[in-house]
Each structure stands twice: as structure tokens, then as C-alpha cells.
Amino acid sequence: MLTSVQQGSLFMVAKASTHAAQTVLADPRWQMIVNRDASGDTLFVYGVKTTGIYCRPSSCTRLPKPENVVFFDSPEAAEAAGFRPSLRNARDKSEILRQHVQLAEAACRTIEQSESCPTLNTLAAQAGLSPYHFQRVFKSVVGLSPKAYDTAWRARTIRTQLHGQQSITETIYSAGLSSSSRFYEKSQQMLGMRPKDYKAGGNNTDIHFAVGECSLGSILVAQSRKGVCAILLGDDPDQLARDLQDMMPKANLIGGDSEFEQVIARVVGLIETPTKAFDLPLDIRGTAFQERVWQALRNIPPGTTVTYTEIAEQIGQPSAVRAVANACGKNCLAVAIPCHRVIRSDGSLSGYRWGVERKQQLLHRESHP
């Protein structure tokens, strides 16, 4: 026979269970679970306290008791709370990724075809998601926020048109900028120079540079008004200078002064200790795809590696493994954009723009700080 204390404890447990069940039953997400509504698969997952697993609304697993259910905005949130994916949910991950990629691609096309960047609310409504959830989905696929993608897209348009036969006036409209003043404001930020100078191949653009030595050999650092635009490694200082000249054939290449030596010292410090934060501004110049890859590289924690396949999946283009490798090869900001942290699927180091031996040394320094 239960004591009065035991009876009271059971009563409190039953009361709490009833309250939890009522809370879940009142949540509209519960009805989506009951109906196996696949439209909720991109909105939330639910965990089952008694089993420790989480599922998507459309999962055909046995319907849990309401009092045992807890809702999460994403699989990552569920896993952070200690839940593991159900076998069905694990199989469905590729399908959810495909849906996310489709939503992100549709949003990218909307951004590209709009005269000005659509608001987050507009893009989210088009995708059928809340603004908060849409932002997370878009960034997980593209690697950039919608606003950052808009900036990268317009920068790419400006670069492409200025390299072509279009006049600066025609480029204003091609880039979707509503006025010449807005164009010059944006283009200076995107190009790091006047548009007419960029169209002339960097003519009259001042690029300060210097060549030094570090434990990995010779190093060249170049900086525009916008930030560090090149960190090159090699064995021959003269060859590095020629490489920079080939990259910027019409720029004014100016040898660094005593003040620039501080920039060199900070970059060399990054080479010697690649685990440290690098807080100098960067002048990153690439296509929208390359910038997505490079942003994904900058998100890799020091001391860890990922594969080219994983990077392709992270940016929402799992079949673009070769293009990811090419983007890594085009990176001209050694270590600041850590392409040395990308390896082949079999674990081998593969090619590296500045030599596999340097890649091996950088990875060793990161894993043995």
C-alpha cells in the first residue's frame, strides 16, 4: 500500500504529464504529426522523450503520446538536446537537403532577377517558411545570407560587365542599381577601386606589396585599399612578384614601406600559428560560386579537415565536387582562406596551390599547437 507521500508524488507526476500533453495537443505542429504532413518537414522536428530519437512530421513511425513529445526548430537543435535521428529520419536527410536546395535556388533566382534585393519577409513568404527559418535554410545551402548573396551577385555582374564591352552606364542597369550615385557607392566597395580603373584592368589602382620569408619559404603579401588581396607562398621571391604582376597587370604595384611591414608581420604570424584568429580585412575577389566555397572554407575550425565532397554538400551542390576543387585552387589568400583544410575522401592530402608539403606542415601545426 502506498504511503500518503508516495500517493502525492504520483499525483504530481500525473498532473505534470497531463499539462505537458495539453500543451502539445494545443500546438498546431501536433496536428501535422498526426496527419503525417510532409509540408512540415522543413519547419520542425519532434523528439520523443521515452526513446531519445527525433523524427520529422511525415515520419511513418508509431505515433507517440503527446506528453512525451518535444518540438525543435531543426535537427541540429534536437541533436544538441541529446536526441538522435530515427533510421527513417536519417534516410530522409538527403530528401530534405534536396528540398532546401530547391528553395534556396528559387530564392537566388528571385534575387538575381530583382532590381533591388527583396526583403527577407518576401523571400520567406515565397518559400513558405518563417523569415527566421528561411534565413537558416538559405545560409546552410548557399553559405551566405540572402543580403550577402545579393551583394555577391551584383559584384559579379559588375565585374563581368566591366570586363566586357558594356559601358559603365550600361553596367549600372545590368547590375540592377537604380542610380549612378548608388552604383559608384556600391562598386567602390565591391571592386576596391574606381569602376573605370577596374574596366581598364586595374589601371591606376595602388596595390602595396612586400616579399618576406617565413618557415614555409618565401611569402608575398599584397593589399589594396579594401584589404589584403593576396597571400602567396613559394620558393622564389622573384617568381612571387611576377605572379602578382600577372594577376594585376595594370595596377600600380608599390613596394611596402615600414608601416606595411606590420601587415607582413601579422600575416607571417598567421602562417607560423594558423590556429590564431586573423583580423585584418580581406579584399576577396571571385565569382559568386567561388565566394560561397571560400566562405565555407573559412568556417572550418582550425585543427580539423573536411573533404571536397563535404564542402560541395555544405554549399548545396553535392555534384559540384570538381568545381569546389577548382575554387580551392583559385584561392590566392593562403591560410587566411584555409583551403589547406580540405582533403580527398580517402584521407589523402591531394593537390595544393603552394605544394602538398606546405599543406602537410600547416595541418600538423594546427593539430599540434
Side-chain angles (χ1 to χ4, degrees):
M1 185 174 182
L2 297 176
T3 67
S4 58
V5 173
Q6 290 172 325
Q7 290 176 343
S9 297
L10 289 174
F11 174 76
M12 293 299 293
V13 170
K15 185 177 180 180
S17 178
T18 301
H19 177 72
Q22 290 174 344
T23 300
V24 170
L25 289 171
D27 193 307
R29 291 175 291 187
W30 171 253
Q31 198 57 46
M32 299 182 81
I33 297 173
V34 173
N35 296 335
R36 317 289 190 192
D37 190 345
S39 67
D41 286 350
T42 60
L43 302 177
F44 70 96
V45 297
Y46 69 92
V48 182
K49 299 174 185 177
T50 52
T51 62
I53 66 170
Y54 68 86
C55 309
R56 297 191 181 275
S58 63
S59 174
C60 60
T61 55
R62 181 179 179 181
L63 196 66
K65 293 182 179 180
E67 60 267 27
N68 294 328
V69 170
V70 57
F71 297 110
F72 297 98
D73 290 334
S74 66
E76 293 77 15
E79 290 172 13
F83 289 86
R84 65 185 187 281
S86 67
L87 293 178
R88 172 62 184 272
N89 188 74
R91 289 194 297 269
D92 288 348
K93 277 188 174 181
S94 59
E95 173 61 21
I96 297 302
L97 176 61
R98 186 187 66 80
Q99 294 177 14
H100 285 179
V101 170
Q102 289 180 339
L103 292 175
E105 286 181 343
C108 287
R109 302 296 85 79
T110 299
I111 291 171
E112 294 164 8
Q113 296 165 12
S114 300
E115 292 187 2
S116 59
C117 183
T119 65
L120 182 61
N121 287 340
T122 298
L123 294 171
Q126 173 184 292
L129 304 176
S130 70
Y132 171 77
H133 189 56
F134 170 77
Q135 174 102 328
R136 292 187 59 178
V137 167
F138 187 92
K139 193 167 184 179
S140 69
V141 172
V142 179
L144 302 169
S145 68
K147 187 171 184 61
Y149 180 82
D150 174 76
T151 300
W153 168 256
R154 296 185 196 282
R156 179 187 180 189
T157 301
I158 288 173
R159 293 186 186 114
T160 301
Q161 302 299 348
L162 288 178
H163 275 309
Q165 299 300 315
Q166 282 195 347
S167 67
I168 292 177
T169 300
E170 291 171 326
T171 302
I172 292 175
Y173 299 102
S174 297
L177 300 174
S178 56
S179 67
S180 58
S181 60
R182 184 163 179 259
F183 169 77
Y184 281 100
E185 174 192 348
K186 291 287 186 182
S187 62
Q188 285 276 8
Q189 177 184 1
M190 294 170 181
L191 305 175
M193 65 187 78
R194 294 180 302 174
K196 68 177 183 179
D197 293 336
Y198 188 88
K199 187 172 179 61
N203 190 31
N204 297 324
T205 302
D206 291 343
I207 300 292
H208 295 267
F209 79 100
V211 178
E213 294 295 322
C214 65
S215 60
L216 296 182
S218 298
I219 179 172
L220 181 146
V221 179
Q223 185 178 48
S224 68
R225 284 180 293 178
K226 188 176 178 182
V228 176
C229 57
I231 301 174
L232 310 180
L233 299 172
D235 299 315
D236 184 351
D238 292 336
Q239 182 59 53
L240 292 181
R242 288 193 292 270
D243 291 343
L244 179 65
Q245 193 169 30
D246 291 341
M247 291 168 55
M248 304 173 185
K250 297 184 180 181
N252 296 325
L253 300 181
I254 304 171
D257 53 18
S258 58
E259 183 178 345
F260 191 72
E261 289 179 1
Q262 298 178 11
V263 176
I264 288 280
R266 293 172 70 175
V267 174
V268 170
L270 175 68
I271 300 294
E272 304 304 331
T273 313
T275 56
K276 68 185 295 185
F278 186 63
D279 55 2
L280 285 175
L282 299 178
D283 182 359
I284 299 174
R285 306 178 184 188
T287 66
F289 177 83
Q290 288 171 342
E291 291 186 11
R292 285 164 59 192
V293 173
W294 296 340
Q295 181 57 49
L297 300 184
R298 298 179 73 187
N299 292 334
I300 305 172
T304 62
T305 58
V306 300
T307 65
Y308 295 102
T309 300
E310 289 171 331
I311 292 292
E313 291 173 348
Q314 287 178 25
I315 66 172
Q317 295 188 232
S319 62
V321 178
R322 185 179 296 275
V324 166
N326 289 336
C328 290
K330 295 291 186 181
N331 171 33
C332 61
L333 286 160
V335 188
I337 296 179
C339 54
H340 63 276
R341 295 174 189 159
V342 188
I343 60 176
R344 287 178 176 167
S345 299
D346 62 4
S348 62
L349 298 188
S350 72
Y352 184 53
R353 179 170 180 170
W354 295 283
V356 174
E357 289 184 0
R358 291 188 177 93
K359 182 173 187 174
Q360 190 172 31
Q361 288 186 55
L362 288 168
L363 291 175
H364 178 77
R365 291 175 188 181
E366 291 186 352
S367 60
H368 299 83

